[in-house]
Amino acid sequence: MLDPFYMKVNGTIYEVVPEEGDTFTIFKGATEYCQVLRNSNKKWMRIDYKTDLPILEENKEVEDIGRLIDRALAKG
């Protein structure tokens, strides 16, 4: 499993904590910000905290975070 790591997206620093499967918990500052998931189509989605289900919406920030996670996974 990949260790937690930091990345910068559009001037903001995020901490990425790998969870099970293709799920990652994202911290913005020192606060838990969201969870993201890469689905079988390689699309990145945010997970709803109340239902634990992926939210089917276009979200540029999640896509940018996911793209950098993909880069980190390719290196690791």
Side-chain angles (χ1 to χ4, degrees), residues 6-7 12-16 26-33:
Y6 291 89
M7 63 183 181
T12 302
I13 305 272
Y14 296 90
E15 181 180 8
V16 179
I26 309 300
F27 290 83
K28 190 175 185 178
T31 305
E32 186 172 335
Y33 179 60

Side-chain angles (χ1 to χ4, degrees), residues 19-66:
E19 304 291 346
E20 292 182 20
D22 287 329
T23 303
F24 297 82
T25 300
I26 309 300
F27 290 83
K28 190 175 185 178
T31 305
E32 186 172 335
Y33 179 60
C34 69
Q35 283 191 313
V36 297
L37 165 72
R38 181 175 49 193
N39 71 11
S40 59
N41 295 329
K42 307 292 187 201
K43 176 80 174 156
W44 286 94
M45 298 177 287
R46 194 166 50 95
I47 297 174
D48 185 289
Y49 279 111
K50 293 178 184 176
T51 65
D52 283 335
L53 296 172
I55 298 172
L56 302 174
E57 69 179 6
E58 291 292 319
N59 186 317
K60 182 171 176 8
E61 182 180 30
V62 169
E63 291 172 13
D64 290 344
I65 290 169

